[in-house]
Amino acid sequence: MAQNGTRAAGPRCIALVGPFQSGKTTLLEAILARTGAIQRQGTIDGGNTVGDASKEARHHQMSVEISVATASFKGDNYTFVDSPGSVEFIHDMRAALPAVDAAVVVCELDEKKVPQLQLILRELEDQKIPRFLFLNKIDKADATIHEVLRVLQPASRSKLLLRQIPTFSGDIVSGFVDLALERAFVYKEHAPSQVIPLEGDALDAEKTARFSMLETLADHDDELMEQLLEDVQPPRDKVFDDLAKELRDGLVCPVLLGSATRTNGVLRLMKALRHEAPGVAETAKRLGVKPGGSVAYVLKTINSSHGGKMSVARVLSGKIGDGVHLATPEGDAGRVAAVFKLMGQQSEKRGPAEAGDTVAFGKLDHAKTGDTLSDGQQAHPPVAKVVPNAPVLSVAVAAKERKDDVKLGQALTKLLEEDPSITVVHNAEAHEVVLWGQGEMQLRVATERLSDRFGIATASHKPTVGYRETIKKGIVQRGRHKKQSGGHGQYGDVVLDIKPLPRGGGFAFNEEIKGGVVPRNYIPSVEEGVIDALKHGPLGFPVVDVAAKLIDGSYHTVDSSDMAFQLAGRLAVHEGLPQCQPVLLEPIYQVEIVCPSEATAKMNALMSGRRGQILGFDTRAGWDGWDVVRVQMPESEIGDLIVEVRSATAGVGSFTFKFDHMAELVGRTADQIVAARKAQAA
Ligand SMILES: Nc1nc2c(ncn2[C@@H]2O[C@H](COP(=O)(O)OP(=O)(O)O)[C@@H](O)[C@H]2O)c(=O)[nH]1
Ligand SMILES: [Mg+2]
């Protein structure tokens, strides 16, 4: 294992994460250009970046999944995982994080984006990933640049540490001073920064800023603290050692400056990664990888329309090449058909992958995102378990053409393999396939993939809400089925005592037949008829919370049959229920919303507009500045709730929900629901 402060060995894997639109994909492009992995630096507007090369990402001009690209810098390989910033696609980032040695959190100095930054830093803190902040768009910086720590610190649980301070030419940031190196640089567009003498005001500013950087480091280093108190200049190597150690231990989060579009600050970032980020040995230790055998972690699964299946994986120990059989803790993963180096959408065959390498394995039929692969006698236990966030939005999808029904099922299985934060629910009652996911864009992209990659045109609509109906009063109702048309007649005659049951009572059937007026063997048929009739009540919905008691009837020795008594039972229910004050029941859910405290009041207003009943407010445990709001709310109102919750919380609010009870619904809303059902049935 690498000692603190000395360079870690082997290929690295680095995540680029951060809020939406902060410049991650552009930074990846800048890194690839600066390290010579690509000839020309593409741009987002130009639609020619290595990241975001999928049809869906280009179309929406945003990252909708991670992109992976490998570059070489000073003899070492670095694989970068460019992650989407949108919360809807956050699972792609979360599932990739176990594989990385460190993360570069790309951010802007924008107070409005701090909650998003906090959400992402939280993921890194929870997974114990060492992290740098890269304060991007420095070319657009204004006076607030001096407030970096005030603005950004609330987002981070670990101490932010300014590694660099900007220098100005007029109002424009023209360069920076590196506080660890104690050197001044001026930015050059698309070229390495140039060293200039550190003197005058810049030197004074450097002294003050360096002192606060050292103070932050000294919080976790008594020797350094003593040196500072005694006014002794600590040796430069000691400062670098401390920077590396405290970064790796997650005690500090160093802040670097730059501009991805101009390729400024990129070289310093690469150097910081080279000297300070941990390597695969430490990452394997973090994940509890056991010695012996080869182990890899699948950070992404890609099913392309032409290339077949690829499992993007980081090798954590050992060596994995063509032909190797791999297993997951659940069973066989398959045989590696080929090993690829990745450059966005492009892949290139390469030799065996060794510890530290991030590659794509071809044709591991049974591997999925998040799997731990190993080649030993016994499968290695999972090195990480990333549980997707609970879904918040749903849409029903159907193939436009019947012939695609089977293909749709297969394609959905593949989509879920790639993105476990989507789930599929089959609603047998409504004959619907319902996709559940993290937001509108994610579900839209999922349906786009169904057509782009699998050639299935789909139509989508709002999923059916699970309404029911019940009755408010009882009735004694006769049902007589009698037919005398030609030959054999049909005869069944029953009297049912129909009564409401308490809420949640379901359905009950019993009988009180005396003197064999309805022969025993026909009674189950009566019950079947009743059950059948309850599938569609007078309002058009399944009827629940009713009891039916068979109390009387008559039969005919020749004409009676199971069928005739079934029909008689049905008839009694059909004729009786409309007179029992039928009433609509709607599902009510318990919803728990989490949001930054300043949005809590807005949630209140939002709930009253959606027939929500607030049950209580609380502070969110372990989340400074966040609240939990508990509400009861009808299922129909939860449908697109996430859209409004996000727009009231700069995208970071969310909720979970579970079924609570069925409640009576009367009045205009109920009338509309019943009318819509009738229209649909007609
Ligand atoms: N001025 C300026 N714009 C940038 C910089 N980096 C990225 N952008 C722009 O910010 C937008 C979002 O960039 P992108 O890389 O897609 O952000 P991502 O969502 O974090 O991947 C694009 O229009 C970029 O051109 C930068 O350093 N300076
Ligand atoms: Mg991006």
Side-chain angles (χ1 to χ4, degrees):
M1 204 198 90
Q3 291 294 304
N4 293 328
T6 52
R7 227 154 53 66
R12 314 291 182 88
C13 184
I14 307 290
L16 301 178
V17 301
F20 187 48
Q21 293 272 305
S22 57
K24 300 171 290 295
T25 303
T26 310
L27 179 62
L28 171 63
E29 198 69 11
I31 291 171
L32 295 176
R34 169 64 82 239
T35 56
I38 54 175
Q39 295 304 312
R40 270 184 63 124
Q41 180 169 344
T43 63
I44 300 294
D45 288 343
N48 58 351
T49 50
V50 170
D52 290 0
S54 75
K55 187 170 168 193
E56 297 83 17
R58 290 268 197 257
H59 174 59
H60 297 294
Q61 286 213 359
M62 68 184 274
S63 303
V64 299
E65 61 191 321
I66 61 165
S67 303
V68 177
T70 300
S72 150
F73 179 64
K74 292 188 182 289
D76 286 333
N77 275 338
Y78 293 78
T79 298
F80 291 91
V81 179
D82 172 26
S83 315
S86 154
V87 283
E88 298 189 27
F89 299 99
I90 204 165
H91 187 75
D92 236 43
M93 169 194 98
R94 298 172 72 218
L97 289 182
V100 307
D101 300 320
V104 175
V105 185
V106 183
C107 64
E108 292 167 78
L109 202 54
D110 180 350
E111 219 129 4
K112 290 198 288 295
K113 287 191 171 182
V114 169
Q116 270 195 57
L117 180 64
Q118 182 186 20
L119 213 63
I120 287 160
L121 283 172
R122 188 52 74 107
E123 293 290 341
L124 301 172
E125 291 159 3
D126 289 349
Q127 293 199 36
K128 299 196 168 35
I129 314 281
R131 53 215 168 261
F132 293 88
L133 274 191
F134 184 79
L135 183 62
N136 191 31
K137 307 197 182 179
I138 195 88
D139 53 303
K140 292 202 307 194
D142 55 24
T144 56
I145 186 79
H146 296 296
E147 307 197 298
V148 179
L149 296 186
R150 183 192 64 77
V151 175
L152 300 182
Q153 183 62 62
S156 171
R157 279 162 146 180
S158 53
K159 203 77 190 274
L160 298 186
L161 174 143
L162 268 189
R163 271 287 300 271
Q164 301 171 338
I165 51 168
T167 51
F168 294 83
S169 145
D171 284 344
I172 292 165
V173 177
S174 55
F176 66 98
V177 178
D178 189 290
L179 300 176
L181 280 174
E182 303 208 74
R183 248 186 241 161
F185 296 83
V186 277
Y187 290 133
K188 300 273 161 198
E189 202 168 343
H190 301 303
S193 301
Q194 194 185 347
V195 183
I196 54 163
L198 179 56
E199 55 195 13
D201 288 352
L203 183 60
D204 294 343
E206 190 271 341
K207 291 278 174 245
T208 317
R210 179 172 158 91
F211 190 75
S212 18
M213 178 184 85
L214 295 178
E215 268 183 330
T216 304
L217 286 176
D219 281 346
H220 308 281
D221 180 344
D222 295 342
E223 191 193 336
L224 181 60
M225 184 60 94
E226 260 170 48
Q227 289 171 336
L228 292 187
L229 290 173
E230 288 164 15
D231 230 1
V232 176
Q233 267 301 316
R236 192 196 275 180
D237 282 354
K238 172 162 184 56
V239 174
F240 276 111
D241 283 1
D242 269 17
L243 278 170
K245 179 176 182 332
E246 296 190 16
L247 165 88
R248 292 176 194 189
D249 293 345
L251 299 171
V252 298
C253 174
V255 183
L256 303 168
L257 312 175
S259 161
T261 41
R262 298 179 177 221
T263 339
N264 289 157
V266 172
L267 209 54
R268 296 276 12 128
L269 171 65
M270 287 306 297
K271 288 194 171 162
L273 291 174
R274 175 174 159 86
H275 291 281
E276 292 160 35
V280 67
E282 277 159 274
T283 300
K285 207 170 131 200
R286 183 185 89 219
L287 298 170
V289 173
K290 296 187 187 141
S294 303
V295 179
Y297 172 84
V298 181
L299 52 142
K300 168 100 187 144
T301 307
I302 306 167
N303 289 292
S304 65
S305 51
H306 48 280
K309 179 172 169 179
M310 293 213 276
S311 303
V312 183
R314 176 112 197 262
V315 180
L316 297 164
S317 74
K319 181 172 176 173
I320 301 176
D322 289 12
V324 173
H325 268 286
L326 293 173
T328 70
E330 285 108 56
D332 182 39
R335 197 175 140 269
V336 176
V339 181
F340 300 96
K341 169 188 165 179
L342 290 175
M343 188 58 113
Q345 296 275 91
Q346 308 297 325
S347 55
E348 189 182 300
K349 270 201 186 160
R350 51 158 282 167
E354 301 195 20
D357 280 326
T358 306
V359 297
F361 294 127
K363 300 244 161 40
L364 289 178
D365 286 339
H366 309 293
K368 56 182 190 313
T369 305
D371 275 349
T372 299
L373 307 171
S374 57
D375 69 350
Q377 285 290 312
Q378 246 185 337
H380 193 286
V383 294
K385 193 164 171 53
V386 184
V387 181
N389 289 334
V392 288
L393 188 74
S394 63
V395 65
V397 294
K400 277 191 178 150
E401 297 187 44
R402 273 215 90 102
K403 68 169 173 55
D404 284 339
D405 279 355
V406 175
K407 245 170 84 185
L408 176 64
Q410 292 163 345
L412 286 174
T413 308
K414 288 190 174 158
L415 280 189
L416 303 200
E417 209 175 66
E418 290 179 16
D419 186 353
S421 71
I422 299 180
T423 50
V424 173
V425 177
H426 292 270
N427 180 345
E429 186 182 296
H431 305 289
E432 277 170 5
V433 175
V434 182
L435 287 191
W436 276 94
Q438 309 294 328
E440 275 183 312
M441 185 57 93
Q442 186 204 29
L443 292 176
R444 188 180 315 160
V445 167
T447 49
E448 284 169 5
R449 284 184 182 144
L450 288 174
S451 95
D452 294 349
R453 290 207 220 145
F454 302 99
I456 305 168
T458 57
S460 34
H461 60 95
K462 269 193 184 170
T464 303
V465 174
Y467 294 111
R468 296 286 181 268
E469 58 181 275
T470 190
I471 50 173
K472 304 267 282 181
K473 61 173 198 165
I475 195 169
V476 172
Q477 175 71 43
R478 162 154 262 140
R480 177 189 277 153
H481 177 71
K482 189 174 173 190
K483 248 189 186 153
Q484 210 57 72
S485 51
H488 217 340
Q490 295 176 29
Y491 186 89
D493 173 36
V494 299
V495 178
L496 295 179
D497 182 4
I498 300 173
K499 284 203 172 93
L501 284 177
R503 199 60 60 247
F507 168 68
F509 179 84
N510 41 42
E511 49 89 13
E512 223 177 63
I513 292 297
K514 295 197 190 80
V517 290
V518 175
R520 295 269 111 205
N521 56 317
Y522 292 137
I523 294 177
S525 300
V526 178
E527 183 177 359
E528 264 177 63
V530 171
I531 290 174
D532 195 46
L534 292 178
K535 284 182 189 155
H536 297 280
L539 305 181
F541 298 95
V543 188
V544 295
D545 303 345
V546 281
K549 192 198 285 178
L550 176 62
I551 53 172
D552 202 357
S554 62
Y555 73 105
H556 186 278
T557 38
V558 179
D559 292 349
S560 280
S561 66
D562 280 336
M563 178 57 79
F565 271 100
Q566 213 176 321
L567 290 170
R570 256 173 69 171
L571 206 63
V573 173
H574 269 312
E575 287 180 356
L577 285 189
Q579 307 167 60
C580 296
Q581 274 187 33
V583 63
L584 193 66
L585 291 177
E586 71 169 338
I588 305 292
Y589 280 69
Q590 184 102 299
V591 183
E592 224 177 77
I593 303 171
V594 291
C595 61
S597 308
E598 57 273 17
T600 306
K602 286 192 211 159
M603 290 305 135
N604 215 338
L606 214 165
M607 288 311 120
S608 53
R610 288 178 172 258
R611 300 191 287 133
Q613 284 247 321
I614 302 221
L615 303 178
F617 302 91
D618 241 323
T619 52
R620 186 180 184 191
W623 286 71
D624 257 1
W626 285 63
D627 285 340
V628 181
V629 185
R630 288 189 188 81
V631 209
Q632 278 192 347
M633 178 178 255
E635 181 182 338
S636 60
E637 297 288 339
I638 298 174
D640 54 356
L641 176 63
I642 191 64
V643 179
E644 285 188 35
V645 168
R646 289 205 177 123
S647 82
T649 58
V652 295
S654 189
F655 63 82
T656 52
F657 57 95
K658 61 173 199 287
F659 175 75
D660 197 74
H661 65 278
M662 299 297 288
E664 279 180 28
L665 179 64
V666 292
R668 244 178 63 117
T669 316
D671 296 344
Q672 283 166 355
I673 294 164
V674 172
R677 179 70 164 202
K678 294 236 152 90
Q680 195 189 23

